[in-house]
Amino acid sequence: MDVVKRLLAVFLIVAALAVTVHFVASALYEDAVDVGLGWNILNWPMAAVVVVALVVHYLRKRALDRTETDGSITREYVEVNLALYATIVLALWFFWNWTDDLMSSEAQSQLRRTFWVFIDPLFVLIGGITGMRLWRCAASQ
């Protein structure tokens, strides 16, 4: 199980790094490469990362809810809940925007294109945090 967690962690971290590089540096090579095609390719691993992050943070929340009985607010409580709810927001925004991009035969509206500016940095944070969490979890077992 540790090997699976480590492989997932590497996948999540590499996807987050790829999105970071493409998001930041795409202005440097937009004349030489079709940037939109790059995003169309990256969206598939991004979708997998969002689903994995949802599962990981949901399972962390369930485990935390089973162990905490006194109802106190701890650092772990804040971390787990913030990660889960931020991942839910990411999943809603990402899949809402991505399905529109997949289904629409014409270019996305300005509103939907603007949403990618919020989705991509949030994805980098969630993907990186989840990957690091899985790596540490695999190392501690």
Side-chain angles (χ1 to χ4, degrees):
M1 189 63 161
D2 292 341
V3 173
V4 173
K5 285 182 183 179
R6 291 231 171 165
L7 287 174
L8 274 175
V10 168
F11 174 69
L12 269 67
I13 293 168
V14 167
L17 287 173
V19 169
T20 301
V21 168
H22 193 58
F23 183 77
V24 172
S26 62
L28 299 174
Y29 52 80
E30 66 185 355
D31 294 334
V33 178
D34 184 6
V35 175
L37 178 62
W39 283 118
N40 290 341
I41 293 168
L42 277 175
N43 282 340
W44 290 96
M46 284 176 72
V49 168
V50 170
V51 170
V52 168
L54 269 174
V55 170
V56 167
H57 294 300
Y58 174 73
L59 292 175
R60 284 185 68 201
K61 171 86 169 123
R62 284 194 49 193
L64 181 70
D65 288 346
R66 276 195 303 264
T67 59
E68 292 207 0
T69 57
D70 62 353
S72 63
I73 297 179
T74 62
R75 177 182 171 187
E76 184 181 18
Y77 175 85
V78 172
E79 285 177 2
V80 168
N81 281 288
L82 184 62
L84 175 65
Y85 297 128
T87 305
I88 290 170
V89 168
L90 173 64
L92 289 171
W93 283 352
F94 175 79
F95 287 112
W96 169 71
N97 221 10
W98 187 43
T99 52
D100 176 70
D101 191 29
L102 287 174
M103 297 301 167
S104 138
S105 59
E106 53 199 54
Q108 284 190 302
S109 69
Q110 183 61 40
L111 172 69
R112 292 193 186 253
R113 282 196 314 259
T114 302
F115 255 86
W116 288 114
V117 176
F118 298 103
I119 293 168
D120 294 332
L122 183 59
F123 172 83
V124 169
L125 287 172
I126 297 295
I129 288 168
T130 307
M132 295 303 290
R133 173 71 186 163
L134 284 173
W135 187 268
R136 280 193 312 262
C137 183
S140 67
Q141 291 181 349

